[in-house]
C-alpha cells in the first residue's frame, strides 16, 4: 500500500478519520488501520482525484522512465530497496500570458476571493495552498519543533549508535 502515512500514524488511535481514506483488501470502506494497510487508499476528490493522481503518475512515473503505480517500492516495508521515483516540473512562461502587473493583480484578486469565502468553522478560515505549512514553519522558527516522545527516543537511539 502506498501513501500510508495517514493510515500508519493513527494505528495506535484505533480509528481512521475521515472514513473515506481507505478500503480493506476487498474494497470495502474501513476505519480499521490494520485492514486499511492491506487494502487501498482512496483518492482525495473521488473520481476527479483519481484522474488527477493518474495524470501525475503518468507524467512523473511512466513518461519519466521511473517506477509507477505498484512498481514503486515502499520505503516503510523495504527501506533498502531503490524506490526509482520520478519527478515532473511544468514551467509556464507567464510573460506570454500577459503583463506582470496584470497577472499579479488577478492572482491577488483570486486570493482575496478565496480568503473571503465563508469558513465552515469560524475559527478555521479558508486558506490558500501552503499557508498552513508556512505558518507551521514560522511557529517552529519562533518556538522550536515539538517531537513525539517515541520519535525523540528513536532519534536519540540512532544518534547514540553513530
Amino acid at each position: 500500500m502506498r501513501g500510508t502515512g495517514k493510515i500508519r500514524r493513527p494505528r495506535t488511535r484505533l480509528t481512521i478519520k475521515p472514513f473515506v481514506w481507505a478500503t480493506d483488501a476487498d474494497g470495502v470502506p474501513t476505519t480499521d488501520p490494520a485492514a486499511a494497510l492491506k487494502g487501498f487508499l482512496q483518492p482525495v476528490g473521488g473520481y476527479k482525484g483519481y484522474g488527477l493522481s493518474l495524470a501525475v503518475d503518468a507524467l512523473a512515473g511512466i513518461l519519466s522512465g521511473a517506477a509507477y503505480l505498484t512498481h514503486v517500492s515502499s520505503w516503510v516495508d523495504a527501506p533498502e530497496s531503490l524506490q526509482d521515483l520520478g519527478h515532473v516540473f511544468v514551467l509556464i512562461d507567464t510573460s506570454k500570458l500577459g503583463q506582470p502587473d496584470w497577472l499579479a493583480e488577478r492572482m491577488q484578486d483570486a486570493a482575496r476571493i478565496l480568503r473571503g469565502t465563508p469558513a465552515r468553522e469560524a475559527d478555521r478560515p479558508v486558506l490558500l495552498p501552503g499557508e498552513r505549512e508556512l505558518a507551521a514553519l514560522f511557529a517552529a522558527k519562533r518556538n522550536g519543533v515539538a517531537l513525539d516522545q517515541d520519535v525523540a527516543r528513536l532519534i536519540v537511539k540512532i544518534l547514540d549508535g553513530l
Side-chain angles (χ1 to χ4, degrees), residues 150-162:
D150 292 337
V151 172
R153 281 191 282 280
L154 180 59
I155 290 171
V156 169
K157 182 179 177 182
I158 291 169
L159 292 175
D160 285 345
L162 295 179

Side-chain angles (χ1 to χ4, degrees), residues 27-93:
V28 177
T30 183
T31 59
D32 176 7
L37 286 170
K38 294 176 184 167
F40 304 93
L41 285 177
Q42 294 295 93
V44 174
Y47 70 90
K48 290 180 182 179
Y50 172 71
L52 182 57
S53 68
L54 285 179
V56 169
D57 208 23
L59 292 170
I62 296 170
L63 295 178
S64 74
Y68 53 92
L69 297 174
T70 59
H71 298 301
V72 177
S73 297
S74 169
W75 63 268
V76 173
D77 297 329
E80 70 288 345
S81 295
L82 178 67
Q83 289 188 290
D84 192 19
L85 299 177
H87 302 281
V88 63
F89 300 91
V90 177
L91 304 174
I92 299 173
D93 183 354

